[in-house]
Structure formats: C-alpha cells, structure tokens
Amino acid sequence: MPITLITGPANAGKAELVLDAVRMYGARELDPLLVVPTRADAELYLRELAGDGVTMGVRVERFDGLTAEVVQRAGVDEAVLGGIARERLLHWLSDRELVAGAGDGFVRALSELVVELRTRRVSPARLVAALDSWQTADGAGATGAVLGRLFMRYEAELRRMARADGEQCAVRALDALRERPSLWGGRPVLFYGFDDLSRMQLDTIETLGVVVDAPVTVSLAYEAERSAFAGRAATFQALAPLAAEHRRLSARAEHYAPASRTALSHLERSLFEPGAARVSSGGAVALLEGGGERAELELVAREISLLLAQGTAAEEVAVLARPSGTSLELLAEVFTAAGVPFALQRRVLFADTALGRALIGLLRCVGAPATERGGDVGDAPGELADLLAWLRAPGQLELPALADRLERQARRSGALSADAARAQWQRHNWPLETIDRLQEAQARGAAALIELAARELQRLFSAPRRRAAELLSAEALDEARALAEGGRALAQLRELARLAPELAPATAAELARVLGTVELFSGDHPAPGAVAVLDPLALRARRVRALFVCGLQEGVFPARARVQPLLSERERRRLAEVSGLRLGEQVDLLAAERYLLYAAVSRPEERLVLSWHSADDEGQTTPRSLFVDDVCDLFEQSLFTSRARRALGAVDSPAVPAGPIRASEGSGEAGGASDGAGESARSERPDEPLCDARLLEELAARPWSASAMERWIGCPVAWFVQRVLRPDELDPEAEPLVQGSLRHTALERTLLRLREETGSARLTRANLARARELLAEALQEGEVGKPLSVSPERRVTVRRRLQADLDRYLAREADGEAPLEPRELELGFGVVEGDDRGEPSELPAFELGGGVKLRGRIDRLDVGEHGEAVVYDYKGGKVPLGASKWIEDGKLQVALYMSAVEQLLGVRVVGGFYQPLTGNDLRPRGVLDGDSGIELDCVSTDVREHDEVREVLDRALSAAREVASEAAAGRLQARPDTCAFRGGCAFPTICRCER
C-alpha cells in the first residue's frame, strides 16, 4: 500500500512536500504525474517545475487528464457517447415513457443520476430490484419504477448503438487495472490542491495506490477537531485507512507578509473556533459595503486600483466571485471602466457568441418540413432578430449597413418574423439561397441537415479571415472556442444520426434548440499582468498577495442547500433501509461552505478584503452573509465600523486612487444611508455653444416649421438630434402619429369630395350621411399604404375607434351650422421638392423678418362672406389651452399660421384654433377676435378683444425670431424639465443627465 497521505492546515507546506516528491521521481526518470484541480493550477506548477529544470517526463494534469491516461493504459477502446448525444437519448426515452414534465430540467437531473449510478457500479438490474423492494415494502415508488425502466432502456440503447458513456468507460478502465495491475506500469501519481474528492476520484486513488501498487501521494487540507474542517472529515476518513504513511504537518505563518502575519495567521488558526480572542486587523483585513451590486464592485475596483498604484503586480491580486451572487458581466463592465486589467473566464452559451448566434439564427430561419397532407413548407419559427444575427456575422456582408437598413425597414413596417424579413430583404437585395439549401437538406434527413450546418459553421468562422494569416485576438479566441464546441456538438449529433436516426434533431428548429444548450468557456485564463477573477473553488492550490471575496450575501456564500431533483434524501434513506442500495451520502452543506471560506481566506499573504451589498437594484434589502460576522468576531470592533461604504446609485468616480470613503466619514451604519459622495462629485454639464462655422451658417439659413420651433422651445438639444442629425428610427412609427396622419388625409379627402359633389365643403345635417360615407372610403384608401398598426390583430380595433371619433366630429360640425366655408384644406406654404411635408406648394415661405423663413401646411382655413378667415389645426390628443397660455407653454403653431395667412393670402384673419378630434369635448380651443362679428361654437374665454388678439400674434412672432436667433448662434441648451412629453430628458446619454 504505497499511498502517502499528507495533511495539515492551509499554508503548512504541503505543496513543498508534493513538489519535492515530483522532483525526486523526475530525477529517477519515473515520469511522475501531478494532478491539480484546474487548468490554471496546471500551468502554474508546470512553470514552477520548469524553473527548476524538472520537465522531462513530468506531466501536470487535471483529474480528467488522469482519467484519460487510465483509460488508455487499461486498453479500453470503446467508443464513448458524448454528453449532447446522451441528453438526446434520455430525452427520447423520457418521451417514450410518457414522463410528466420531462423537460430539460428533468433530463439534466436524470443524467446526473445516471452518472451517480455508474460511479457506484450500480447495474440496471440492481437498481430495478432495489426499487421493487421499496415498492413492495411501502407500496410507493411510482417515480422509482419509471427511473428503473429508464435506466434499463438506457443501457439497452447503448448496447444497440455499441457505445458506452464516459463514466462507464472510466469504471471499466479501473476494473481492467484491478485485474491487470501491470498495465499501469508503476508510474507515480501525486495529488495536490484538492480539498474534497468525488467517489470516482477516491476509486481512482484506491485502484492506483492499493491494487495497482503505484506510488501515490495525496495532499489534503485537514486538521482534526477543527470546526473549519468538519466538511472534509468524510474524505479524510475514506483516505486514512488506505494510506501506508500519514504525514501530519503543523501550522506555519512564515508565508504571510510580516506586517500582516498577526492578523492573517490569527484568521487561519481561529476561524469558526468558539471563544477565539479578538485582535487588531492592522489593515490586513478590510470590509467593503456597497449600497447595491454596482456600488460594491466599484469599491472593489477602487481598492484594486490603489494596490496597483502602490506597486502591487496585477497577477498577485485575485477576486473571488460566485455567478449566483455577482454579475460577472457587471464586474467586467466596472473593472473595464476603472482601468483594472483582469482575466475572467466563465461559462457562456454557444448562442451567446457571435458565431453561435449566427448559426442558430440561420437554422431558425428555415421553414418547417413539408406537411404530409399538402406538401407545403411551413413557416420558419424564427424572428427578425434571427435573420439579422446571421446577416451581421463578421464577413457575411461586404456592406454591413445593408443589415441595418433591413432592420429599420422591417421594424417600421412590422415585418418581425424571419419569413417576412427575408421577403423584404429579397425585394431589395439578392436571394438568401443558404436558407433554401438548408431547407432541402432538412428534407433529406437529419444527417444531411447536420452536415450542412457543420459546413456553414466553418464557413461563418472563416469568412472574416479569408486569405489572412490572422493572429487571433482575445475576442477571436472566444469565437474559435465556439467553433470548437459547436463542431464537437454537431459531430456528436452527426454520429447519433448514423447510429440512431430517431434520436437526431429532424428539423432545423430542433437542431437550433439543441445547439442553444451547448456551453463553452469564454474569456482569459489567469495570466501575468491581469487580476484573476475566479470562482472560490479555483483558488485552492496557490497563494496570492491580495484577495477580494465579493458577493458575500446570505444564500450565496454560504449557498442554499440544493434539493435532490430525483429521489430526495428521505427517499434515498428509505431505499437503503429496504434494499441495501445506498445512493449518495448526506452532505452537510454548511460545513462544506465553511471549509470553502476557510480555504479562501487562507490564500492571501498580505491583504484580505471582504465585500457585500446591502440592497438589490430595486432597493430591496439583501442581507450580508453571516460569514462576514464570523470573520469580524476575530477582530476588534474597528474592523466593521471602519468599513468602506458606497451609496446605491452613487455617480462619482470611485476608481480614482484617492483612498476609500470610510463609514466614519459618511453618514452612519449600513443599510443604504447615503454618504453624499455621489452628490458632491456630480457637476452640471456646461452648455457650450456650437462653434463649427459651416454648421452655424447652415442653421442660420435653415427654413423653419412651427413644430420645429416648438421643439426648440421644449429642448434645443432634442431639436438638434431630431431635426438636424435625424437618426434613422428603428421602432415602428408610433400609432398616434400614424392615426393622426390618417385623420388629416381622411378629412381632407372627405371635404374635397363633398365640395366636388355639392359645391360646398361645409358640413350640414343634410349632407352628414354622405360625408360619413365619403369618410369611410377615405379611411379605407388611406390605410392601404400606411396600416394603422404593425400588429395585425390591433388594426380592426384601432380602425373602428378612429372612424367613430371622426364620425362624432362630423356630426358636431353638421349640428353647428358654421357661418364660414372651408376654403383651403392642407394649405402648404414654403414647401419645396423633396420636403417631407408632401407635394411642393404654390405659396412661398412666410417671412418673419431678419431672414427667418417659415414653412408649413395648414390643416384647414375657413373663410366668411366678407373675407374673414379662421385657421384650424387638427389635434388627435390633448389640445393646448386658450391663447393666453400659448407663449408660456411654447405653442406657436396656430399663431404663426394666422400671421402667415394674412401675409401670403392677403385676408383678414380673425381667429385660430386647435381642433380636437377625440375626447368628450370637441370644442376648438384658441382665440377669436370678438370685434369681428363672427360667432363660433368655442369656449367663451377664447373670445378676445382685437388688441389682445394682435398682441398674441406679435408675441408669437417675437418668440419665433428669438428661436431662430438662438439656433443661428448655436446656443444649444439642455432643458430636461420640458424635453420629453411627460417631463424628463429624452436623450440622457447625450445630455449626461438623469431622467
């Protein structure tokens, strides 16, 4: 029994003994194999051994590498069924057994159960017999009976396909070594950095060390009677009887920096021990509390920036974060903004890479197979975003702007399905024949479809690199990983289609769904010059100078207990009682989490920082982990009271190396109280005028519309964005705007045709019925080119409501028997060719003076017998109040139109109104000259004396000229109070202000 077991607390020198043994075996040319937990650990220790000149014959592997070596030496050459293929098989079997709710979650749980059964060497017959015993004893086990049948059929399908799963292959290899130990060849194996070992790993150690009699050294962090190690006692008890030699190491403190040794050594020796003394943290241990997750990470980024500014190498700093408690995307965003170099590797879905999105989007654009009844190809399940993901893949289009144009056109026209978007693309561009080829391959069968998808994946990756010897960047490396993982998944599915066609994805949509579940590692390995961002499990085999443990929230660290998805702990205990079959030992999760914290806080040599946030993004309280209190119990009260804090929503720049903001400097205890840092650091953005001479010249000569002037009054910056920059809109035109346009068009056509038929456009009770018929025809004609909604199911409702509103308006006009005749409808002035206001106008622009010109289109102009004119502007929503509020509210349109009519037509304008077309009160609002003798059905307070009317017009002209003067001078000013319709800034990212 040549197993050597080395135990001791953290930093006891276990690594030195293991590496000395590696060097010794290497010197004897015994080709030792060092097994460590992670790939980063493997690279680290390989570099360390290379520095000593010990590399020839020495291999450093993860446990997967050891398993592969065992399989190879045992001569087990069975073809292995891949993970994707196994899940497909389990899905198919679950469907055949009619398992209720057998979705992806059930299949993943079933796959985990199969792995457990394999590693415990439980045969299908043994499982079925045990489940039968349970059912006989308790009359229960309906679910268990299904599990037994599933495992039995799973085994039968593997035999039919002449395949084994990975665990089965590993177990058979270990059994082969037990039968023929000489196959291993006596190669020494050393394990370092593992704080816990799975059943398969323990089986491997026992096989190599006890049966094969190979030299095996196992290093295990363990110290008897320590609370921190209670979660690892089972692993120690499993190894101890197997060890021929047990070397117990004592605690050592020389690994810690002298200034930090007292605090960090005390933490390592006393964590979770009752009655531990309190000592000074001495700055070696610090706490950070953010009001929210971003605030917490900004504090972490600032502290790291301070360390880097003080000369600490980035690779000597590590950040531990669990994805369940810390958003890795947010962490990357905050660290990038703070200028902190970091290496972060995390699992992402194949669908989240550009290459994966493109291939999956393409597959979703393929229509369903032809139906047996009609032979027609079904609609594609994809959406506009799927087609765009494929078109926007790098190298797919020589002009990527074509995809942008498609998105704008499709969104604004409501073509949101893949089929509709493709039809729109092909009206303006070339046919997308790749989709047709996939459709044809789908009709030929799963194998042809998967083969063509694999070729398309390779083509998508190669397209931007064609005829270029490109050195892959970090982003391109992620795409290369996506190519590799996607290719492996497709290879498994292609093999499955050959072995069992009924299990392979039969449609492009199903293939897209399967590929969407594929995962890969994205990002960079820890490397020199970068702060390593790691999961707590990834920092067990090496030390760092400074360590940050983030996201210490209750339910995250320690994690919540995971309920067994299949066969609960109670059911497993009962199964063991009645049948003798033991499945899974009960795990004390809290004890395991305690050890994990102990292992983490023992890694830094100089500084340990713990952080948490007190609220989520919605401001709801999120309690910190009790582990923080366990650490604080070892130190003086000043550790907690001097913690650095940052308020939720603070907007100052925390990453500037200027020292942390301490609670004593702020406003009291934790829980979201603001320290005022954000508010004091916020500064108003100065409104600097435009200075480009050509632009100012263009603005000075620019013709104005009344609506543009009103937009300027609301916010000059918004005017500049919307009226000068004029970015293309992606969203469909707002329904109120479409309805308003149709209202104007329909009313114009109705009154014009009424005039053609009767000689007058005036509405009366006698012609009301005919006017309504003409209105219905006009609405129908107007909607042909411009549907009321991009959503077909809304169009009927919107159309009926619109017609009902206009019918009510026509009835009111007919009942009023207005004394004026509608003379001009949609009267344009200053409108030139190419203007977005429609056909060019005969009337010139309205001169306001000082070279300022106004153009526009007046909805309706009514004229009396003696030439008195009244201007109407239709409104589909809320109308402005009377003329007394026009200038104050920035409403100039009707007043400017009144002055324009007087100048351009030479008539006497006696009134101007905003005419509501919806709502309960259809009375027009505006102004009427009471001295004109004209009586209209309007609000009584809108009737004013002649001088008051003229004052309103003069003030409007003055305000319009002021607007033109400000624009010509380039005086853009952000006005967030009046910018958006209901208040607030419409472009906060441009103006740098909050809504």
Side-chain angles (χ1 to χ4, degrees), residues 396-439:
Q396 182 72 3
L397 298 177
E398 291 185 9
L399 294 175
L402 293 177
D404 299 337
R405 187 178 70 179
L406 171 65
E407 180 176 14
R408 179 176 183 272
Q409 292 172 343
R411 286 186 179 278
R412 291 182 65 80
S413 65
L416 301 182
S417 70
D419 285 335
R422 181 188 179 189
Q424 194 160 82
W425 168 274
Q426 293 184 160
R427 280 198 294 270
H428 304 285
N429 302 291
W430 57 90
L432 300 177
E433 297 174 348
T434 304
I435 299 176
D436 296 327
R437 286 195 293 271
L438 283 167
Q439 185 82 52

Side-chain angles (χ1 to χ4, degrees), residues 111-174:
S111 181
E112 292 175 6
L113 179 61
V114 168
V115 171
E116 182 181 358
L117 293 170
R118 291 299 196 200
T119 56
R120 291 179 176 275
R121 293 177 168 81
V122 178
S123 68
R126 176 74 179 94
L127 177 65
V128 170
L131 293 172
D132 287 343
S133 299
W134 179 27
Q135 187 171 19
T136 301
D138 295 350
T143 301
V146 171
L147 294 178
R149 291 196 304 272
L150 284 172
F151 191 34
M152 186 78 75
R153 295 198 61 182
Y154 171 74
E155 181 76 10
E157 288 298 322
L158 287 181
R159 287 196 301 270
R160 181 175 69 86
M161 291 187 287
R163 290 293 183 272
D165 55 38
E167 293 74 27
Q168 189 178 33
C169 191
V171 167
R172 288 174 179 172
L174 291 174

Side-chain angles (χ1 to χ4, degrees), residues 327-351:
S327 168
L328 299 181
E329 290 77 11
L330 180 60
L331 183 147
E333 177 186 333
V334 170
F335 278 26
T336 300
V340 174
F342 65 95
L344 167 60
Q345 191 170 65
R346 61 187 185 274
R347 282 190 174 275
V348 299
L349 291 173
F350 177 69

